[in-house]
């Protein structure tokens, strides 16, 4: 714990409010921030009124996310401006493009930080509190069952609809040894599953002199004793090599679960999105993944109503979704993002038509997911148990499907064999039939 110097108050009485939205990278950053503040002896609160430190980790990938960020900032403005309360409001993430300009525009915010600038946020808090930051080895808090490790930041693609490159910059791959060290530390602290994160993990290493790629990272992290499962996301259809497919398929700890955004099933739309592949290439990739791992779960991202998308082009996307039987589709209606190439084009698909297209794919995918999950009824599947939720244990199958079951023992962090007794499109229920690891002490 740190020296306690905040106006004589013990740091343990100092509360922080951390609000996060967005991608897995943001979720991972938020976890790290919370952990670092906990190490400083502070406590989390869900009530901004109780907190002295207000932290927003933001996303603007779609207009709906940006609206939420603006709403949250507005709702905190009076708390942050109250001179009697001695409170700070810090904003980090993809909302922040130019910290200096933003500070002028939102004077009630005490600091703006670029995406993943954890160091910047923590230094600001330490300076404000007047505390000495803890040394790195002071971080010994227990890890979650499933933790994530960023293997690269930023993205070298310039998809014409996407603001991520503008906000997160060009790709910066982390050195392999650093990734392995961080993953091994998390496993030593209790993590059982590691998810390797990047905007485009298949391009990992293209900016490094060593010539390492994602397959090398998978092999190296796979060796960590005590690790049960390894995942990676997000993949890019253009850079996913056969070597990556074969390596992932062959390593027993690597889950057969792929996050492979298609965005569209139409070649003209894909070209205008600057995705760098055709629908035929995407279909072939899915075929090759399933050839290497017939049990593969494949999830995708789809945007409907991109500028100029005709009914026929949309139908090609419907056909892709119908033919490839994805496990999950992350679906979005296109929204204009200032600063992207497509922002100069006519956003000509009316909102009601975008919504109609969204509902068509949503309905189709619900049917597909329902059928795919129903095929697991009566099957025994390995479930890594993450947490307890409303009296039930909650875990995931290798293909990342949510499974709930009831049992009095403590199953947290245990790999359990679960027989599936009920399935729906988004989750399943089962009963434990076997213990791959012995559960620890009993709970009520
Ligand atoms: N490399 C990341 C991309 C992050 S953006 C990944 O592949 O996940 C996450 C998703 O948001 C994209 O895949 C895309 O489907 C969606 N998206 C991005 N920009 C969008 C926009 N302007 N309108 C609607 N959806 C968008
Ligand atoms: Fe965005 Fe395309 Fe990269 S969706 S994050 S520019 S791969």
């Amino acid at each position: 714990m740190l020296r306690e110097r905040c106006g004589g108050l013990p740091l343990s009485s100092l509360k922080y409010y951390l609000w996060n939205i967005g991608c897995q990278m943001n979720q991972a950053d938020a976890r790290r921030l919370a952990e670092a503040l906990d190490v400083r002896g502070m406590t989390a609160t869900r009530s901004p009124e109780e907190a002295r430190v207000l932290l927003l980790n933001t996303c603007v990938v779609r207009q709906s996310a940006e609206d939420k960020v603006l709403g949250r900032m507005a709702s905190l403005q009076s708390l942050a401006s109250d001179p009697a309360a001695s409170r700070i409001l810090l904003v980090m993430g993809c909302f922040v493009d130019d910290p200096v300009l933003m500070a002028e525009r939102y004077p009630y915010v005490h600091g703006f930080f670029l995406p993943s600038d954890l160091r910047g946020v923590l230094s600001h808090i330490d300076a404000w509190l007047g505390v000495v930051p803890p040394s790195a080895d002071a971080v010994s808090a227990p890890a979650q069952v499933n933790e994530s490790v960023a293997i690269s930041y930023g993205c070298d693609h310039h998809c014409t609809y996407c603001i991520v490159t503008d906000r997160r910059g060009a790709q910066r791959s982390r050195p392999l040894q650093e990734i392995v060290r961080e993953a091994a530390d998390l496993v030593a602290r209790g993590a059982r599953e590691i998810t390797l994160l990047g905007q485009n993990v298949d391009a990992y290493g293209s900016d490094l002199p060593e010539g390492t790629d994602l397959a090398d990272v998978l092999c190296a992290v796979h060796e960590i004793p005590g690790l049960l499962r390894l995942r990676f996301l997000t993949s890019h259809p253009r850079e996913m090599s056969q070597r990556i497919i074969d390596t992932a398929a062959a390593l027993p700890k690597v889950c057969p679960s792929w996050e492979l955004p298609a965005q569209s099933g139409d070649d003209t739309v894909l070209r205008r999105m600057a995705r760098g592949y055709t629908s035929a290439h995407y279909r072939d990739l899915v075929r090759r993944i399933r050839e290497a791992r017939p049990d593969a779960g494949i999830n995708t991202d789809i945007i409907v109503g991109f500028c100029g998308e005709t009914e026929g082009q949309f139908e090609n996307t419907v056909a892709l979704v119908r033919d490839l039987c994805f496990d999950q589709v992350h679906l979005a209606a296109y929204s204009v993002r200032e600063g992207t190439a497509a922002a100069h084009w006519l956003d000509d698909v009316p909102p009601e038509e975008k919504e109609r297209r969204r509902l068509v794919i949503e309905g189709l995918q619900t049917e597909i997911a329902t059928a795919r999950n129903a095929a697991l009824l009566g099957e025994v599947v390995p479930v890594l148990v993450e947490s307890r939720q409303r009296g039930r244990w909650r875990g995931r199958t290798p293909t990342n499907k949510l499974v709930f079951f009831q049992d009095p023992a403590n199953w947290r962090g245990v790999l359990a064999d679960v027989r599936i007794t009920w399935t729906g499109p988004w989750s399943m229920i089962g009963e434990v039939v076997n213990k791959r690891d012995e559960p620890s002490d009993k709970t009520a």
Side-chain angles (χ1 to χ4, degrees):
M1 191 147 324
L2 302 184
R3 283 199 276 128
E4 299 174 347
R5 286 218 339 241
C6 184
L9 275 177
L11 281 184
S12 53
S13 70
L14 224 135
K15 299 205 167 120
Y16 67 90
Y17 167 83
L18 173 55
W19 180 85
N20 179 66
I21 54 166
C23 63
Q24 297 244 1
M25 190 71 85
N26 265 19
Q27 289 168 26
D29 287 343
R31 261 192 206 178
R32 297 281 141 75
L33 264 183
E35 195 174 81
L37 296 177
D38 293 345
V39 165
R40 281 159 173 75
M42 296 171 67
T43 28
T45 174
R46 283 164 180 257
S47 150
E49 293 78 13
E50 279 180 15
R52 299 277 304 283
V53 176
L54 306 168
L55 282 168
L56 307 185
N57 194 25
T58 60
C59 169
V60 290
V61 76
R62 293 196 282 273
Q63 188 61 48
S64 54
E66 185 165 353
D67 291 345
K68 283 184 196 150
V69 172
L70 289 167
R72 189 55 53 138
M73 281 172 60
S75 76
L76 296 176
Q77 179 169 1
S78 58
L79 282 179
S81 329
D82 178 359
S86 175
R87 203 181 258 126
I88 49 169
L89 169 60
L90 306 180
V91 176
M92 180 175 100
C94 286
F95 179 74
V96 182
D97 52 357
D98 183 331
V100 177
L101 279 182
M102 292 194 118
E104 283 168 19
R105 186 153 174 214
Y106 303 98
Y108 61 93
V109 175
H110 301 86
F112 284 99
F113 302 88
L114 297 174
S116 299
D117 184 12
L118 304 184
R119 210 168 281 177
V121 172
L122 292 170
S123 320
H124 189 106
I125 295 173
D126 289 337
W128 182 70
L129 293 173
V131 298
V132 178
S135 61
D137 51 310
V139 182
S140 57
Q144 314 243 11
V145 173
N146 55 331
E147 289 277 356
S148 37
V149 174
I151 66 168
S152 61
Y153 298 103
C155 177
D156 285 341
H157 285 271
H158 294 277
C159 301
T160 51
Y161 53 81
C162 181
I163 200 171
V164 170
T165 315
D166 177 69
R167 299 301 156 94
R168 292 188 178 263
Q171 176 173 290
R172 286 98 62 210
S173 300
R174 295 176 70 196
L176 182 57
Q177 291 318 316
E178 195 179 299
I179 294 166
V180 174
R181 210 176 309 125
E182 186 175 329
D185 172 60
L186 288 165
V187 173
R189 286 159 50 202
R192 292 288 162 262
E193 175 179 296
I194 297 286
T195 302
L196 305 176
L197 291 182
Q199 297 300 331
N200 173 3
V201 286
D202 300 280
Y204 171 85
S206 61
D207 53 326
L208 293 176
E210 303 90 277
T212 41
D213 69 358
L214 176 62
D216 297 316
V217 185
L218 290 173
C219 291
V221 177
H222 192 270
E223 291 307 301
I224 296 172
L227 178 72
L228 298 178
R229 282 183 174 176
L230 183 54
R231 300 181 186 276
F232 56 98
L233 57 99
T234 298
S235 292
H236 195 290
R238 179 158 174 187
E239 272 120 0
M240 182 178 284
S241 63
Q242 192 61 40
R243 175 175 141 85
I244 292 174
I245 296 177
D246 292 340
T247 305
L251 292 171
K253 293 180 190 173
V254 175
C255 292
S257 178
W258 306 74
E259 293 286 340
L260 190 63
Q263 310 300 2
S264 167
D266 181 84
D267 287 349
T268 304
V269 175
L270 285 171
R271 198 164 45 245
R272 300 183 69 242
M273 287 177 163
R275 291 290 291 173
Y277 53 86
T278 60
S279 167
H281 174 81
Y282 187 90
R283 286 168 183 262
D284 184 56
L285 211 45
V286 170
R287 183 191 60 74
R288 285 190 277 134
I289 291 171
R290 289 189 169 140
E291 194 173 82
R293 279 299 295 249
D295 58 345
I298 302 182
N299 303 332
T300 199
D301 293 12
I302 296 285
I303 298 175
V304 295
F306 186 57
C307 316
E309 185 187 69
T310 64
E311 181 62 24
Q313 291 166 346
F314 167 67
E315 283 303 327
N316 285 337
T317 301
V318 176
L320 185 95
V321 172
R322 186 183 301 117
D323 295 348
L324 295 185
C325 286
F326 295 108
D327 290 73
Q328 218 186 326
V329 174
H330 312 291
L331 190 57
Y334 170 64
S335 58
V336 180
R337 307 284 65 213
E338 284 313 319
T340 61
H344 302 289
W345 307 340
L346 202 58
D347 178 25
D348 55 356
V349 180
E352 6 9 297
E353 177 57 14
K354 283 182 187 166
E355 181 59 5
R356 187 194 70 79
R357 293 180 189 180
R358 203 186 63 75
L359 290 174
V360 168
I361 298 210
E362 189 178 83
L364 171 62
Q365 182 55 31
T366 303
E367 276 173 37
I368 293 170
T370 304
R372 279 183 82 77
N373 289 355
L376 291 171
L377 202 63
E379 296 288 313
V380 174
V381 292
V383 172
L384 180 61
V385 183
E386 293 168 8
S387 60
R388 201 166 162 89
Q389 201 176 308
R390 291 192 216 102
R392 297 184 303 178
W393 291 106
R394 175 189 196 272
R396 286 176 191 275
T397 68
T399 55
N400 220 15
K401 293 178 195 295
L402 264 181
V403 177
F404 295 92
F405 66 87
Q406 282 184 318
D407 194 84
N410 182 5
W411 288 90
R412 190 179 176 279
V414 175
L415 198 54
D417 279 338
V418 177
R419 185 183 309 284
I420 302 301
T421 56
W422 176 88
T423 64
W426 322 122
S427 66
M428 298 185 251
I429 298 174
E431 56 198 21
V432 180
V433 293
N434 198 11
K435 301 157 187 170
R436 297 200 169 195
D437 299 327
E438 276 303 308
S440 50
D441 44 299
K442 300 267 170 187
T443 58

